[in-house]
Amino acid sequence: RDRLRSRGLGDVYKRQVYSKSFSLQATGPLAEIVKSTERIKSMLQVHLVRHGETQWNAERRIQGQSDSPLTAHGERQAWQVGERARTLNITHIIASDLGRTRRTAEIIAEACGCSVVLDSRPRELDMGVLEKRHIDSLSVEEEGWRRRLVNGTPDGRIPQGESMQELSQRMHAALTSCLELPEGSRPLLVSHGMALGCLVSTILGLPAHAERRLRLRNCSISRVDYQQSPWLASGWVVETAGDISHLDAPAMDELQR
């Protein structure tokens, strides 16, 4: 900057970096600064939200693609996400088409003044024959099926259910579709615990079936960015994961696990 000022170009530096309308062609180090700024402007930020606490979360039942309504506490969590989302300039809300995510998204959308687009791709993992079951009621064999989803077993799945690889493919398809939104968009995607955990973990380079070591609590907020930084791998990167600083009380999943 000192060199620019000594040549009388201090104002040029500021206007080239911060103004789209200034027409002077930048060269040398200044051009690199402008290019860097353009890359930042083109970066897409996608906020990821797990649905609010549900009746079956509180009862410790396996939900999968079956459904139960939000508890009163889950509705309050969603309102708190909405208050946080209002400060993030969210422009689009996309939600899994299951009832618990749809209701969470509707509450957030009311706070943000956005509409909700439903999408079947960010649904929760299909947990087959174990859906609706209380976790403490599982037999040894059934618990073994469930554990294969979280202990790193390749192609682990519950009978009549889905593998983590299949889940990963549709979650990435849902995320990639956000790149088709107009420039300047700030989308928020409302999904589920296993689904979002799989998405974030695979963005970090882990296989879809890797041991599950990322906890995303009800109404936690994560953020992934699509970018071209010279110091990161091109494409999607994880900025934050599992933020619950906007919530004023622990959910049942935080107390029980």
Side-chain angles (χ1 to χ4, degrees):
R1 295 188 184 187
D2 290 337
R3 286 198 300 271
L4 291 170
R5 291 193 183 100
S6 68
R7 294 163 56 190
L9 292 178
D11 289 339
V12 173
Y13 167 82
K14 294 177 183 176
R15 293 171 74 185
Q16 277 290 309
V17 175
Y18 297 113
S19 172
K20 294 182 179 179
S21 60
F22 193 73
S23 60
L24 180 64
Q25 180 66 42
T27 59
L30 184 55
E32 293 304 312
I33 294 171
V34 173
K35 288 179 182 178
S36 176
T37 303
E38 289 172 350
R39 283 197 295 268
I40 292 171
K41 287 179 181 176
S42 66
M43 178 178 71
L44 177 67
Q45 298 177 355
V46 182
H47 289 84
L48 310 173
V49 175
R50 185 185 173 197
H51 61 80
E53 178 190 271
T54 69
Q55 180 179 332
W56 287 358
N57 287 148
E59 294 176 3
R60 303 186 72 229
R61 291 186 182 274
I62 297 171
Q63 292 188 112
Q65 294 190 5
S66 300
D67 223 349
S68 69
L70 299 188
T71 62
H73 186 51
E75 297 241 347
R76 177 173 175 79
Q77 290 175 320
W79 279 111
Q80 290 172 335
V81 173
E83 290 302 306
R84 173 78 172 274
R86 198 204 307 266
T87 70
L88 301 174
N89 300 317
I90 298 301
T91 59
H92 298 76
I93 297 180
I94 304 137
S96 153
D97 60 354
L98 297 179
R100 58 193 185 271
T101 38
R102 183 173 65 246
R103 178 58 183 151
T104 301
E106 288 170 350
I107 294 171
I108 298 170
E110 186 171 341
C112 295
C114 298
S115 59
V116 176
V117 175
L118 299 179
D119 187 340
S120 63
R121 292 174 297 183
R123 282 186 174 191
E124 181 58 294
L125 177 75
D126 186 337
M127 298 191 188
V129 299
L130 297 187
E131 291 190 4
K132 306 180 183 180
R133 295 280 302 279
H134 193 289
I135 194 170
D136 294 333
S137 74
L138 302 184
S139 68
V140 173
E141 182 182 30
E142 290 169 337
E143 175 62 7
W145 297 338
R146 190 189 69 81
R147 291 298 303 172
R148 283 198 290 271
L149 297 175
V150 298
N151 65 8
T153 301
D155 202 36
R157 73 177 69 224
I158 295 167
Q160 299 179 30
E162 189 177 22
S163 72
M164 297 300 289
Q165 183 60 40
E166 291 165 339
L167 172 64
S168 173
Q169 289 171 353
R170 59 180 173 80
M171 287 300 296
H172 277 270
L175 180 63
T176 299
S177 67
C178 292
L179 296 173
E180 300 171 6
L181 295 172
E183 185 175 356
S185 296
R186 282 284 186 91
L188 182 147
L189 177 65
V190 184
S191 185
H192 306 263
M194 293 285 285
L196 290 174
C198 178
L199 178 63
V200 172
S201 296
T202 50
I203 287 173
L204 289 172
L206 295 172
H209 67 267
E211 292 180 336
R212 190 182 183 206
R213 297 190 179 276
L214 177 62
R215 175 177 284 159
L216 301 177
R217 300 194 185 279
N218 290 123
C219 273
S220 60
I221 301 176
S222 305
R223 197 186 99 193
V224 295
D225 297 345
Y226 190 85
Q227 47 71 59
Q228 301 294 329
S229 167
W231 291 105
L232 294 168
S234 297
W236 294 105
V237 297
V238 178
E239 178 68 19
T240 59
D243 180 12
I244 55 172
S245 61
H246 50 286
L247 303 180
D248 63 3
M252 288 299 295
D253 66 338
E254 187 171 357
L255 296 173
Q256 292 176 345
R257 303 174 193 174

